Amino acid sequence: MICEMMQRIREIIVVLFLALCSKEVSGRREWRAAAADGGDGPYCQSWRVAVEANNVRAWRTVPTQCLRHIESYMTGGQYERDLNFTVDAIFSFVDNEVSISGDGLDAWILDVDDTCISNLIYYQTKRFGCDPYDPAGFKAWATKGECPAIPSVLRLFKKLAKSGFKVFLLTGRSEDAYERATIKNLRNQGFIGYERLILRTGANKELSAVAYKSKIRKQLVKEGYKIWGNVGDQWSDLQGDHVGNRTFKLPNPMYFVP
């Protein structure tokens, strides 16, 4: 009887020991994962997903503790994979769900900044969005006209143009400050053959991004265009009136445009 009790106690002790060891190993793994991601890996992953889903709005800067996470996301390959995945989804929509009329009025809208051309090089100097927006710094960067094309979107642009869409590039950049640099930048990066580049004029200066882009899309519809698709990296590119048959959001956890 006593021997059986001692054996049972030994078994319980072994089970408890193994459970404690397993918990310690698991804790070490979680700590390593968090440390590799700047110390707040799980939180920053959730924050980024909430931003992309538009559940977190009107944020001004990336949380400082998420610097390493956003840096890893933007430069480690996942950002590029997400872009390619979204563009492939657009290709599927174009190939399987769109019937072009052929009257020259089938339209598609693309945003410019961090949709057609990338500002990632600039935002690296701003700690991937952890630093506050710097209007003068961004203007100095953008007016150089050196923003590289986003390869997957350039691929999309060429397919849309070849398929017969009239592609409109709609940007919040001001006409006075950025027109010449933007035209040159787009041409140098291979965006040739778009129907119209539309920049913000003085008359639209005080409008929010949603109101401004809604106004432009409404004008295009009045001209007879049918907007099949609309692509942007900001939710404000895709909200409001006349957004198109389908909208496609590209990832951008570095800044928010209201």
Side-chain angles (χ1 to χ4, degrees):
M1 179 76 173
I2 293 176
C3 290
E4 291 179 357
M5 290 179 61
M6 293 297 294
Q7 178 64 27
R8 181 60 177 165
I9 290 172
R10 281 196 293 269
E11 291 175 353
I12 293 173
I13 291 173
V14 170
V15 170
L16 290 173
F17 176 75
L18 292 174
L20 287 171
C21 288
S22 176
K23 184 175 182 180
E24 182 179 357
V25 170
S26 177
R28 287 176 180 173
R29 287 173 180 166
E30 291 178 1
W31 180 86
R32 288 194 191 101
D37 202 21
D40 281 292
Y43 167 79
C44 294
Q45 290 179 36
S46 296
W47 180 85
R48 179 171 57 80
V49 170
V51 163
E52 296 298 354
N54 205 29
N55 293 330
V56 175
R57 303 179 183 182
W59 50 278
R60 292 184 177 274
T61 59
V62 171
T64 302
Q65 67 266 37
C66 296
L67 168 60
R68 297 304 178 198
H69 174 78
I70 300 302
E71 178 181 15
S72 176
Y73 173 74
M74 296 300 299
T75 64
Q78 189 59 51
Y79 169 64
E80 185 176 359
R81 286 189 288 271
D82 289 348
L83 286 170
N84 286 327
F85 189 94
T86 303
V87 168
D88 287 344
I90 300 173
F91 277 21
S92 178
F93 170 66
V94 171
D95 291 337
N96 300 308
E97 301 181 46
V98 175
S99 297
I100 295 181
S101 64
D103 60 3
L105 295 173
D106 298 290
W108 200 285
I109 294 177
L110 299 177
D111 174 51
V112 174
D113 283 298
D114 294 299
T115 298
C116 291
I117 52 178
S118 173
N119 295 301
L120 179 56
I121 295 172
Y122 168 76
Y123 275 97
Q124 286 178 322
T125 69
K126 299 299 180 181
R127 299 194 303 154
F128 297 91
C130 288
D131 293 343
Y133 176 61
D134 175 11
F138 180 78
K139 183 177 181 180
W141 154 255
T143 51
K144 291 180 181 179
E146 297 176 356
C147 301
I150 293 179
S152 55
V153 179
L154 180 58
R155 178 165 56 96
L156 170 64
F157 170 80
K158 290 180 178 179
K159 177 179 176 62
L160 293 173
K162 186 177 180 180
S163 298
F165 291 98
K166 301 296 184 181
V167 181
F168 292 87
L169 306 185
L170 176 56
T171 175
R173 291 185 176 196
S174 71
E175 187 176 63
D176 291 342
Y178 296 101
E179 183 176 29
R180 292 180 63 183
T182 305
I183 291 173
K184 177 183 176 182
N185 197 158
L186 289 166
R187 181 180 66 248
N188 289 344
Q189 292 300 316
F191 289 91
I192 300 170
Y194 52 82
E195 182 68 12
R196 198 182 309 168
L197 170 64
I198 305 172
L199 300 99
R200 190 189 288 256
T201 62
N204 297 318
K205 183 178 180 180
E206 302 303 323
L207 296 179
S208 69
V210 173
Y212 158 61
K213 293 199 170 186
S214 291
K215 178 180 178 180
I216 298 301
R217 292 192 300 263
K218 183 177 181 180
Q219 291 174 353
L220 294 176
V221 171
K222 282 186 176 180
E223 291 176 30
Y225 289 102
K226 177 180 177 60
I227 302 173
W228 281 99
N230 184 5
V231 182
D233 67 295
Q234 299 292 315
W235 279 101
S236 53
D237 298 327
L238 312 173
Q239 296 172 324
D241 299 328
H242 304 288
V243 295
N245 282 33
R246 281 285 302 272
T247 61
F248 295 90
K249 170 72 167 65
L250 301 182
N252 185 354
M254 299 187 297
Y255 60 86
F256 178 90
V257 177

